[in-house]
């Protein structure tokens, strides 16, 4: 979709650090996490919650409070008079939430707050009554693990999708490991000078507890992915090319952004703005998820009236190394020219907020380069993808 007058104030896209699966945030409700992170982010940026006109809440894993999600979150932030939709679109949730907020701004609905939050740890087991089953035994499903294991449309899991695309393009284990090591080297750059790059957008987690408080001020559970270190790892499945290093890991976290008109964005930032030029969504062949970021990106670029040649920086959600190999081959953008400061392959994947973190990194990458056109694109569950085109300008 094309947007004529929608922007994020510079500095007004953020993310918490990401915590490892079953780590520090494993028992923190993702709505409580969203309150803590978003309150701090708005206060640090001088944004009065009472001045917001709407909210979009993105999530993918149910929490106990989620039925009342968006309006309850808004009220707990101090914006008691606003509400808005909740968006759940697997790994495309961040782009879908931005898409919804941008549409509201375009329709004259004023300044929107986008919050994406998820706790993949301790995912719920759902139970549905089945009185006619043997003994009346209920039907149960583990929300997280069963979704990882099987796409109900394709009948296969996500690793199978990655392996299918790798086989079809003739990728080798060496190419996947080389790409993985490259992404680790890029992430390491974001840690330089006491994490100077990450601190441009990261908001620490501080949650009061019965004894003291829970604090998370840096990514947790990150494992080095050096070429020497990952070369001897066994495949993630029999005959697979991917290992546990060349795919991402589940995580917990929260991210957000303020979305408004260009004039209001300039007033809030006191400097430049991040124009949202276009969004795009795609679907590819069954169980070919790693291919989906390409048509999603092309759709977003077409709606924005731009081409690949116009793009100065790219970030991707790449849960498997093959994603970026495919994207590079199909678009001509070199793998080393994407994800300058790392990506979800390294820092993990809380699903809902993953894309917004990469979008915040994209914005900060362009700010350091003096502005320009940026593209975020990534795959989502099964065979879908989503992308957004931005312009950082003064």
């Amino acid at each position: 979709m094309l947007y004529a007058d929608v922007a994020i104030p510079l500095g007004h896209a953020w993310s918490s650090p990401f915590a490892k699966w079953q780590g520090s945030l494993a028992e923190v409700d993702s709505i409580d996490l969203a309150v803590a992170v978003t309150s701090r982010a708005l206060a640090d940026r001088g944004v009065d919650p009472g001045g917001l006109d709407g909210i979009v809440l993105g999530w993918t894993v149910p929490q106990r409070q989620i039925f009342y999600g968006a309006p309850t979150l808004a009220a707990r932030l101090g914006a008691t008079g606003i509400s808005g939709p909740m968006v759940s679109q697997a790994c495309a949730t961040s782009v879908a939430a931005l898409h919804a907020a941008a549409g509201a701004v375009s329709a004259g609905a004023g300044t929107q707050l986008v919050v994406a939050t998820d706790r993949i740890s301790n995912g719920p087991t759902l139970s549905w009554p089945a009185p006619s089953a043997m003994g009346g035994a209920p039907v149960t499903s583990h929300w997280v693990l069963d979704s990882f294991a099987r796409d109900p449309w394709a009948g296969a899991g996500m690793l199978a999708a990655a392996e299918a695309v790798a086989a079809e393009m003739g990728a080798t284990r060496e190419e996947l490991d080389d790409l993985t090591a490259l992404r680790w080297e890029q992430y390491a750059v974001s840690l330089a000078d006491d994490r100077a790059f990450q601190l441009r957008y990261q908001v620490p987690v501080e949650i009061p507890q019965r004894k003291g408080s829970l604090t998370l001020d840096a990514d947790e559970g990150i494992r080095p992915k050096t070429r020497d270190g990952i070369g001897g790892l066994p495949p993630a499945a029999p005959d697979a090319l991917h290992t546990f290093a060349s795919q991402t890991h589940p995580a917990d976290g929260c991210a957000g952004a303020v979305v408004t008109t260009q004039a209001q964005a300039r007033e809030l930032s006191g400097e430049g703005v991040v124009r949202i030029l276009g969004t795009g969504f795609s679907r590819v062949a069954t169980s070919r998820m790693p291919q989906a970021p390409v048509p999603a990106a092309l759709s977003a670029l077409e709606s924005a009236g731009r081409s690949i040649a116009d793009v100065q920086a790219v970030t991707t959600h790449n849960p498997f190394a093959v994603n970026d190999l495919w994207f590079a081959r199909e678009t001509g953008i070199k793998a080393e020219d994407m994800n300058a400061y790392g990506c979800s392959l390294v820092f993990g994947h809380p699903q809902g907020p993953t894309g917004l973190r990469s979008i915040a990194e994209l914005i900060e990458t362009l700010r350091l380069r003096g502005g320009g056109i940026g593209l975020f694109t990534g795959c989502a569950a099964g065979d879908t993808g989503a992308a957004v085109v931005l312009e950082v300008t003064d």
Side-chain angles (χ1 to χ4, degrees), residues 35-173:
V35 172
V37 172
T38 311
S39 295
R40 172 69 178 267
L42 295 177
D44 287 351
R45 289 155 179 79
V47 177
D48 176 9
L52 299 169
D53 299 298
I55 185 170
V56 180
L57 172 61
W59 59 273
T60 74
V61 180
Q63 305 288 280
R64 287 180 296 175
Q65 306 175 48
I66 205 66
F67 183 86
Y68 296 94
T72 295
L73 174 59
R76 292 180 64 185
L77 293 171
T80 56
I82 68 170
S83 184
M86 295 191 290
V87 177
S88 181
Q89 197 171 340
C91 319
T93 296
S94 282
V95 174
L98 276 180
H99 173 79
V105 173
S106 295
T111 300
Q112 305 288 307
L113 174 65
V114 175
V115 178
T117 187
D118 259 327
R119 187 187 73 193
I120 311 303
S121 298
N122 297 321
T125 297
L126 306 185
S127 176
W128 291 271
S132 61
M134 183 180 294
V139 177
T140 62
S141 174
H142 191 283
W143 185 277
V144 172
L145 298 183
D146 288 351
S147 298
F148 285 174
R150 184 176 181 273
D151 168 8
W153 170 246
M158 298 179 189
L159 178 60
E163 289 297 310
V165 173
E168 288 172 7
M169 72 177 295
T172 66
R173 165 70 185 267

Side-chain angles (χ1 to χ4, degrees), residues 283-336:
R283 192 166 188 185
V284 292
T286 303
S287 198
R288 294 301 185 271
M289 182 178 68
Q291 297 177 350
V294 174
L298 296 178
S299 175
L301 286 164
E302 181 180 10
S303 70
R306 302 295 196 277
S307 71
I308 285 286
D310 298 318
V311 175
Q312 279 92 50
V314 178
T315 58
T316 64
H317 164 50
N318 51 346
F320 298 94
V322 71
N323 283 50
D324 283 357
L325 291 182
W326 179 269
F327 188 85
R329 192 185 79 170
E330 294 298 301
T331 65
I333 296 178
K334 296 178 181 179
E336 57 266 30

